[in-house]
């Protein structure tokens, strides 16, 4: 989507969560169950705030993507 062509600069400390999301992107919005399965299969233990950030990124992506 055109809104994501020139994204704002991301804090370097949070870039790894963005990379998780890019790696896990499937073409459909995530559910918490799917995220849990992905994190278990990937061997990634996410803190609650990381889960929240991941899901927020996903919600924003899909709201922009569907416009």
């Amino acid at each position: 989507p055109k809104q994501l062509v020139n994204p704002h600069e991301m804090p370097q400390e949070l870039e790894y969560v963005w990379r998780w999301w890019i790696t896990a992107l499937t073409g459909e919005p995530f559910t918490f169950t799917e995220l849990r399965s992905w994190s278990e299969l990937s061997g990634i233990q996410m803190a609650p705030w990381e889960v929240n950030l991941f899901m927020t990124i996903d919600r924003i992506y899909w709201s922009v993507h569907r416009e």
Side-chain angles (χ1 to χ4, degrees), residues 4-39:
L4 298 177
V5 171
N6 293 315
H8 296 278
E9 192 167 321
M10 181 181 315
Q12 188 175 9
E13 298 84 6
L14 302 176
E15 187 175 340
Y16 71 96
V17 179
W18 172 257
R19 292 189 187 281
W20 287 347
W21 182 80
I22 293 292
T23 300
L25 186 62
T26 64
E28 293 293 325
F30 270 93
T31 65
F32 285 102
T33 302
E34 291 168 333
L35 180 55
R36 187 172 113 208
S37 294
W38 174 82
S39 67

